[in-house]
Amino acid sequence: MGIKRLYILRHGNAEAPTLGNDAARNLTSMGVQEVLSTALKFKQKNENIDQVFVSPYIRAQQTAHHFLDAINYNGISTTDDKITPSGKPIDVALWLSNLQVDSVLLITHEPFASQMVDLLADMPLPQDFMMQTATLAAVEGEVLATACCQLRWVENAHN
């Protein structure tokens, strides 16, 4: 199979949390613009995505809709509850390692997104590393395992 590439995208800016159902928060108009900006930066890299997994939370689903439409993605997109804010990065890394695809995009949340990048990166992340809203990080390695991947790049609407 060779090198596996993993893209981790945090959802765009969402409505403020209120008492109740965190999963039901929508993207704001600013969040949509952030996602579209990040999608444009990704599209300019001319990289391919084989499969997409999206958190079931509304803001992640909306992020997926806007991002995938903007990059003209026509492949498989699956909702998966392993990548919610409380997801377990080590379990997800093991699961992803068994997939027979070269490149995967996860559309997810904090703190899971930063924890996933930190788990896989073969070098310590900068002390101020943070997956801001609509941040997309790319890692790659022969296996998706602890400290076995190179952090290739990080893009977001703010850089």
Side-chain angles (χ1 to χ4, degrees):
M1 178 117 306
I3 299 294
K4 285 194 172 226
R5 193 168 282 170
L6 177 64
Y7 302 99
I8 302 164
L9 174 62
R10 182 181 177 198
H11 62 79
N13 183 273
E15 297 170 332
T18 59
L19 292 178
N21 189 358
D22 181 51
R25 291 170 48 213
N26 289 294
L27 288 181
T28 62
S29 58
M30 181 176 91
V32 171
Q33 291 308 310
E34 288 176 333
V35 169
L36 294 175
S37 175
T38 300
L40 177 61
K41 291 175 183 183
F42 176 76
K43 194 172 183 178
Q44 292 170 344
K45 292 181 181 295
N46 290 319
E47 298 190 17
N48 295 318
I49 297 170
D50 296 324
Q51 192 161 3
V52 177
F53 295 97
V54 185
S55 161
Y57 287 28
I58 297 298
R59 59 194 180 273
Q61 293 287 318
Q62 293 168 335
T63 295
H65 169 77
H66 293 291
F67 186 87
L68 299 176
D69 187 54
I71 66 166
N72 301 314
Y73 178 76
N74 295 316
I76 298 168
S77 178
T78 306
T79 298
D80 198 293
D81 61 6
K82 287 189 278 302
I83 57 173
T84 61
S86 60
K88 306 280 187 266
I90 191 72
D91 294 341
V92 172
L94 290 168
W95 165 63
L96 291 172
S97 291
N98 292 318
L99 295 178
Q100 298 301 308
V101 293
D102 292 327
S103 63
V104 172
L105 168 63
L106 303 180
I107 301 177
T108 186
H109 314 266
E110 280 293 281
F112 175 83
S114 291
Q115 291 170 350
M116 191 74 189
V117 173
D118 189 45
L119 173 80
L120 297 174
D122 61 357
M123 299 193 61
L125 297 176
Q127 192 170 6
D128 62 348
F129 180 81
M130 182 177 129
M131 294 283 287
Q132 297 175 345
T133 53
T135 295
L136 178 63
V139 297
E140 72 179 10
E142 291 184 21
V143 293
L144 298 177
T146 303
C148 288
C149 296
Q150 176 187 16
L151 176 60
R152 296 178 52 238
W153 49 258
V154 177
E155 293 284 0
N156 64 47
H158 313 284
N159 64 6

